[in-house]
């Protein structure tokens, strides 16, 4: 749309730059489209029968839309997975190709948003560099879009299939910001802009929530725009008080709802019951992680970027480790600087504020895992906008003009190169796992992934099985490892007829006493239980019972764990009363009981049903 408009005016520069960026992005991601599934792809897509749509009927599509295995409702994303399965089955190539197409759409939307922002800044007579004060501004907007499209930190949301959720949310966030910028431009011209504002801040983000909850941050991004570019001004530069109230309400209401829902759990400690850290420790650690995000985005090196960042230690205090306080002070200084320069250097300030706003959900008190690159899908745009604005500002001096634009071009080329290398890694799951273990040797996730991928590829190859066993043992022995590697080792021994090591059971129990069992480990425990009940794994009720008791001691209301324990009680403990009781608890403690009623049904199936008569 923006490219067509530029061409109609006879200005082909922005269209050529953006077109080249879109083609380059498609080219560097091509290899990665041939990779496989990973982690959350399996419960959300591969093993999720709800999205395996085979008949085009309304009940089938409704089942797909409501088929999220988590407690979060993401109908737009789940529908897209259902549509993929309906037309192309479970071929990961086509799933990743749709992700890439949506990523390219986001790049075009970035160009549209920035072009509208630059024009609004010129209307307000903001002091802009010459490159942003004339027709070349659209070229700069296209360059930022290309830089963001090719940013290496954005490889994960594109090639990690399930993170289509983040991309879908981004589509509607960017479309909302574009509508907001159009509406504000109309208001500054004295025209009617409220319909555009309502569309941009309410309707489109509401649809975006069907992809991922990050769409709720759209009003925060708009507020940053007002602080830097628009200034809450209307025609004649008068303060628009209605807009102040409207934007503030759009931010305060979701925040109030979130605090009302989350604070009780935070005070009780239940919200972090399944994590190995407290709310305070998470906040301290996230300061370091957000600092890493800045470095990984601004200076993308292949050795720093990875799917796995579970080797980052937890900060237990301001000085433990000592550099925690350094990151906190540095981030606070950066935020204060962005606020102070918001009128003098509005685009630099906007980029920094967008970065911080993008982490308001994932880097605060929500009990999520600590670090994931896909959380920077929007925040990276803010940083890259700030960098470009700095270089354009430097280019005001004639002596630095050529070096500044050469540096910008070099950054684009460097990003394309690193993204191509990462795409090549993602084209093969084993290659990705091997690379991750080399760059992150202390990451249990990387070594576990290597072991798991080798097991998948091994079949009856004893050499690969031995290598998989070695990788899993390495993952198990790392100090910050969970119980997943040990559970997989036990399961692997059952399928390969290798000897069981009693120390694996003891390791699981010890670690469950130290930290709660994670969701992925609950799934692994359930699979191991099924393997021991139905074969070929050897039943070990004496070793398994302490594992269940240790897991339930810290997560007594986890429905999937209770369901697995009910099956174990029926088949291996031969305790029908306990089995029925645990199955009922599994249903009663589920957020969505209808998704867990199979727990009772499974207990009544052979061989367990014979024990319950």
């Amino acid at each position: 749309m923006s490219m067509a408009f530029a061409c109609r005016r006879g200005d082909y520069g922005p269209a050529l730059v953006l077109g080249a960026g879109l083609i380059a992005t498609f080219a560097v991601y091509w290899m990665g489209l041939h990779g496989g599934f990973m982690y959350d792809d399996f419960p959300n897509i591969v093993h999720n029968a709800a999205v395996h749509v085979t008949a085009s009927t309304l009940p089938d599509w409704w089942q797909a839309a409501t088929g999220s295995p988590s407690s979060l409702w993401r109908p737009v994303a789940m529908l897209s997975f259902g549509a993929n399965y309906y037309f192309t089955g479970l071929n990961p190539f086509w799933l990743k190709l749709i992700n890439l197409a949506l990523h390219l759409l986001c790049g075009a939307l970035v160009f549209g948003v920035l072009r509208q922002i630059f024009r609004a800044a010129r209307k307000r007579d903001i002091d802009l560099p010459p490159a942003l004060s004339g027709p070349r501004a659209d070229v700069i907007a296209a360059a930022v879009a290309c830089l963001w499209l090719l940013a290496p930190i954005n490889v994960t949301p594109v090639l990690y299939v399930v993170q289509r959720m983040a991309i879908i949310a981004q589509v509607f966030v960017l479309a909302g910001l574009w509508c907001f910028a159009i509406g504000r431009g109309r208001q500054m011209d004295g025209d009617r802009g409220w319909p555009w504002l309502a569309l941009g801040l309410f309707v489109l983000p509401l649809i975006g929530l069907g992809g991922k909850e990050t769409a709720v941050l759209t009003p925060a991004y708009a507020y940053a725009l007002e602080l830097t570019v628009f200034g809450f001004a209307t025609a004649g530069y008068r303060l628009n008080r209605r807009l102040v109230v409207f934007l503030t309400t759009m931010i305060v209401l979701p925040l109030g709802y979130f605090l009302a829902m989350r604070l009780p759990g935070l005070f009780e400690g239940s919200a972090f019951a399944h994590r190995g850290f407290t709310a305070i420790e998470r906040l301290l650690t996230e300061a370091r992680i957000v600092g890493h995000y800045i470095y990984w985005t601004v200076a993308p090196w292949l050795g720093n970027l990875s799917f796995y960042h579970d080797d980052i230690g937890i900060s237990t205090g301001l000085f433990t480790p000592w550099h925690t306080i350094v990151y906190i002070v540095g981030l606070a200084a950066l935020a204060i600087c962005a606020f102070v320069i918001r009128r003098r250097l509005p685009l630099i300030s906007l980029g920094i504020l967008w970065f911080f706003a993008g982490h308001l959900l994932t880097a605060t008190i929500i009990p999520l895992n600590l670090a994931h690159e896909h959380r920077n899908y929007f925040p990276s745009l803010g940083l890259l906008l700030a960098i470009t604005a700095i270089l354009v500002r430097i280019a005001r001096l004639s002596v630095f003009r050529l070096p500044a634009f050469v540096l910008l071009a070099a950054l684009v080329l460097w990003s394309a190169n690193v993204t191509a290398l990462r795409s090549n890694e993602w084209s093969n799951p084993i290659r990705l796992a091997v690379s991750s273990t080399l760059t992150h040797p202390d990451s249990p996730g990387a070594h576990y992934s290597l072991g798991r991928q080798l097991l998948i590829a091994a079949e009856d190859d004893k050499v690969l099985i031995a290598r998989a066993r070695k990788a899993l043992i390495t993952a198990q022995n790392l100090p910050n490892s969970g119980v997943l590697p040990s559970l997989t080792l036990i399961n692997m021994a059952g399928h390969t007829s290798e000897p069981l090591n009693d120390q694996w059971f003891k390791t699981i129990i010890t670690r469950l006493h130290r930290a709660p069992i994670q969701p992925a480990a609950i799934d692994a425990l359930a699979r191991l239980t099924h393997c021991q009940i139905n074969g070929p794994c050897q039943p070990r009720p004496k070793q398994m019972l302490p594992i269940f008791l240790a897991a339930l001691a810290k997560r007594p209301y986890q429905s999937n764990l209770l369901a697995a324990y009910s099956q174990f009680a029926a088949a291996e403990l031969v305790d029908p009363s306990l089995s029925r009781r645990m199955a009922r608890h599994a249903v009663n403690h589920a957020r969505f009981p209808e998704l867990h009623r199979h727990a009772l049904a499974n207990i009544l199936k052979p061989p367990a049903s014979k024990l319950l008569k």
Side-chain angles (χ1 to χ4, degrees):
M1 179 176 169
S2 297
M3 293 172 62
F5 180 77
C7 292
R8 284 198 302 268
R9 293 186 309 152
D11 183 4
Y12 294 95
L16 290 174
V17 172
L18 183 59
L22 293 171
I23 293 171
T25 303
F26 186 87
V28 299
Y29 273 102
W30 176 256
M31 290 179 291
L33 300 180
H34 298 81
F37 294 109
M38 298 183 66
Y39 283 109
D40 286 346
D41 290 341
F42 291 97
N44 283 278
I45 304 168
V46 179
H47 299 151
N48 187 3
V51 299
H52 297 172
V53 179
T54 56
S56 185
T57 64
L58 187 60
D60 287 329
W61 292 112
W62 176 253
Q63 178 178 280
T66 58
S68 174
S70 73
S71 59
L72 300 171
W73 203 56
R74 296 167 175 173
V76 177
M78 301 310 294
L79 267 176
S80 75
F81 295 140
N84 250 121
Y85 185 90
Y86 181 76
F87 289 106
T88 63
L90 278 178
N91 189 334
F93 173 85
W94 296 105
L95 285 155
K96 292 172 186 279
L97 181 63
I98 297 300
N99 282 20
L100 178 56
L102 291 170
H103 181 57
L104 297 177
L105 173 61
C106 285
L109 289 171
V110 166
F111 169 63
V113 171
L114 294 181
R115 196 184 77 174
Q116 201 67 35
I117 290 172
F118 293 167
R119 292 182 176 182
R122 292 199 296 271
K123 287 181 182 179
R124 286 197 66 212
D125 294 327
I126 292 175
D127 180 24
L128 294 175
L132 295 177
S133 301
R136 287 180 294 176
D138 288 356
V139 176
I140 300 299
V144 176
C146 293
L147 187 57
W148 178 81
L149 279 168
L150 293 165
I153 201 168
N154 290 332
V155 166
T156 300
V158 177
L159 296 181
Y160 184 24
V161 177
V162 75
Q163 285 309 320
R164 179 183 300 178
M165 298 172 178
I167 304 178
I168 289 174
Q170 180 90 327
V171 168
F172 290 99
V173 167
L174 291 169
L177 288 175
W178 196 351
C179 290
F180 175 80
I182 291 173
R184 291 293 288 120
R186 290 173 64 88
Q187 287 183 338
M188 291 167 67
D189 290 336
D191 296 328
R192 189 165 175 260
W194 279 105
W196 287 97
L197 269 59
L199 178 63
L201 294 185
F202 182 73
V203 177
L204 290 172
L206 188 62
I207 300 173
L209 288 174
K212 202 167 188 178
E213 297 70 33
T214 49
V216 78
L217 294 172
T218 308
Y221 302 139
Y223 206 92
L225 268 171
E226 293 296 337
L227 288 175
T228 55
V229 177
F230 296 118
F232 296 99
T234 185
Y237 304 108
R238 295 188 303 272
L239 179 65
N240 190 334
R241 290 185 174 83
R242 285 194 301 168
L243 179 63
V244 176
V245 173
F246 177 66
L247 262 179
T248 304
T249 303
M250 292 293 295
I251 294 174
V252 170
L253 283 182
L255 178 62
Y257 174 79
F258 165 75
L259 292 176
M261 296 296 293
R262 291 286 183 176
L263 279 183
L266 291 173
F267 284 125
E268 295 169 6
S270 60
F272 283 84
H274 64 293
R275 298 298 179 190
F277 45 81
T278 65
I280 298 299
E281 288 173 342
R282 188 179 198 281
L283 283 172
L284 293 173
T285 308
E286 284 297 329
R288 292 165 44 223
I289 290 171
V290 170
H292 290 331
Y293 287 155
I294 295 174
Y295 176 59
W296 297 339
T297 303
V298 175
W301 296 93
L302 194 61
N304 294 326
L305 298 165
S306 174
F307 183 80
Y308 311 96
H309 293 289
D310 54 341
D311 52 350
I312 298 176
I314 296 172
S315 292
T316 57
L318 289 173
F319 301 95
T320 314
W322 65 268
H323 50 272
T324 302
I325 188 65
V326 177
Y327 279 99
I328 292 174
V329 172
L331 291 176
L334 185 61
I336 293 171
C337 176
F339 185 78
V340 170
I341 66 172
R342 69 188 188 281
R343 292 196 177 101
R344 184 71 182 86
L345 302 169
L347 296 180
I348 299 174
S349 173
L350 174 63
I352 297 171
L353 292 177
W354 270 0
F355 173 77
F356 282 114
H359 288 295
L360 285 176
L361 287 179
T362 57
T364 50
I365 57 174
I366 298 180
L368 303 170
N369 286 327
L370 292 173
H372 287 292
E373 290 178 6
H374 63 257
R375 294 174 183 169
N376 291 273
Y377 198 55
F378 187 94
S380 62
L381 172 61
L383 288 180
L384 297 173
L385 171 61
I387 291 173
T388 305
I390 291 172
L391 291 175
V392 171
R393 176 69 59 170
I394 292 174
R396 296 180 74 172
L397 300 174
S398 58
V399 67
F400 294 121
R401 185 169 303 153
L402 181 60
F405 287 111
V406 167
L407 185 59
L408 179 60
L411 183 57
V412 173
L413 293 175
W414 176 258
S415 296
N417 177 62
V418 176
T419 297
L421 293 173
R422 295 199 73 192
S423 179
N424 182 57
E425 287 182 347
W426 279 73
S427 66
N428 184 293
I430 294 179
R431 183 187 298 128
L432 176 61
V434 169
S435 173
S436 299
T437 58
L438 294 175
T439 57
H440 291 73
D442 296 326
S443 166
H447 289 282
Y448 170 76
S449 178
L450 177 59
R452 188 174 183 277
Q453 294 298 337
L454 288 172
L455 274 178
I456 293 172
E459 296 183 354
D460 295 325
D461 190 322
K462 293 184 178 180
V463 174
L464 289 182
I465 291 174
R467 291 180 179 176
R469 181 188 180 98
K470 180 180 179 181
L472 291 170
I473 291 174
T474 300
Q476 173 191 249
N477 293 338
L478 287 169
N480 56 338
S481 178
V483 300
L484 194 55
S486 302
L487 288 168
T488 306
L489 282 166
I490 298 170
N491 203 329
M492 181 189 76
H495 284 87
T496 59
S497 301
E498 294 190 5
L500 275 173
N501 188 335
D502 288 338
Q503 186 60 41
W504 297 341
F505 294 95
K506 296 177 182 178
T507 299
I508 294 171
I509 296 169
T510 300
R511 287 181 172 164
L512 287 178
H513 284 307
R514 186 183 64 194
I517 189 169
Q518 299 299 308
I522 293 174
D523 291 339
L525 180 59
R527 289 196 301 271
L528 177 59
T529 302
H530 183 271
C531 181
Q532 291 177 338
I533 293 173
N534 300 288
C537 297
Q538 180 182 355
R540 289 291 187 99
K542 290 184 179 180
Q543 287 94 341
M544 292 292 290
L545 179 59
I547 291 175
F548 274 108
L549 295 179
L552 286 166
K554 292 194 174 182
R555 301 200 68 181
Y557 307 118
Q558 216 290 331
S559 58
N560 291 333
L561 181 59
L562 288 165
Y565 187 40
S566 69
Q567 294 179 347
F568 173 77
E572 297 199 39
L573 297 182
V574 196
D575 190 336
S577 176
L578 176 62
S579 176
R580 290 194 185 98
R581 192 165 67 251
M582 292 299 102
R584 292 191 180 98
H585 284 324
V587 174
N588 293 336
H589 291 294
R591 287 191 178 184
F592 298 93
E594 63 276 7
L595 298 179
H596 294 274
R597 293 192 188 279
H598 67 279
L600 279 171
N602 286 340
I603 295 304
L604 299 176
K605 290 180 180 179
S609 60
K610 297 177 183 178
L611 304 172
L612 299 177
K613 290 181 179 178

